Amino acid sequence: LQMKSESKKPLGITLIALCAGLFGLVTVPLGCTGIFISQVPGAGLYMTLASLIAFATGVLLLSASYGIWTFQEWGRNLMRWICIVSIPLGAISIFPVWPDQAMSLGNSVLQIVGVAVNVVIVRYLMKPDVIARFEKTNSTQTGNLSRRREPRL
């Protein structure tokens, strides 16, 4: 009975993995679409760069989601670093950064909420019991490095 409660996935891990996976699933096609649109004459370099960044972010989010879901230490670290990098980027994005861009209440609120969520995720992933959960999973794997780890539903 005790083993079942230990093998149950914590709600925080489940929410982080699902949100990262959903954002990744949305961001990758948007990045690809933007890359195609950026090839239209006159689209500009900003469109190409933004699309490439969106695509790369989506791939990283999908990777982190898989790593978190399967309790891989690299997945926890990747998700933590994605959130750490997103915090200052979100704070900067509150203010107009593009030429002719105006501040809007909706953008400001969205960026503040995003920064707050990223801070909560980083703090959660740094909790000792969460770190121990990932280390425990990895320490059981060191004896059998060739074993594949697939998501458990």
Side-chain angles (χ1 to χ4, degrees), residues 63-141:
S63 300
S65 175
Y66 173 78
I68 291 278
W69 187 262
T70 58
F71 290 101
Q72 302 286 331
E73 182 66 22
W74 61 263
R76 185 184 73 83
N77 288 329
L78 179 59
M79 190 67 209
R80 187 170 50 98
W81 281 108
I82 289 171
C83 291
I84 288 170
V85 168
S86 297
I87 292 168
L89 291 177
I92 291 169
S93 296
I94 292 172
F95 307 102
V97 292
W98 300 106
D100 299 328
Q101 182 183 8
M103 276 186 83
S104 71
L105 178 63
N107 178 59
S108 298
V109 170
L110 185 67
Q111 296 303 329
I112 291 168
V113 169
V115 167
V117 167
N118 284 320
V119 168
V120 168
I121 291 172
V122 169
R123 290 193 57 163
Y124 178 79
L125 292 175
M126 294 304 295
K127 287 174 56 176
D129 59 323
V130 173
I131 293 171
R133 184 79 179 231
F134 282 86
E135 288 174 350
K136 180 180 149 194
T137 302
N138 289 333
S139 66
T140 60
Q141 290 293 317

Side-chain angles (χ1 to χ4, degrees), residues 9-16 124:
K9 200 174 298 298
L11 179 62
I13 295 295
T14 303
L15 290 175
I16 292 169
Y124 178 79

Side-chain angles (χ1 to χ4, degrees), residues 13-27:
I13 295 295
T14 303
L15 290 175
I16 292 169
L18 289 176
C19 286
L22 288 174
F23 280 116
L25 286 173
V26 169
T27 308

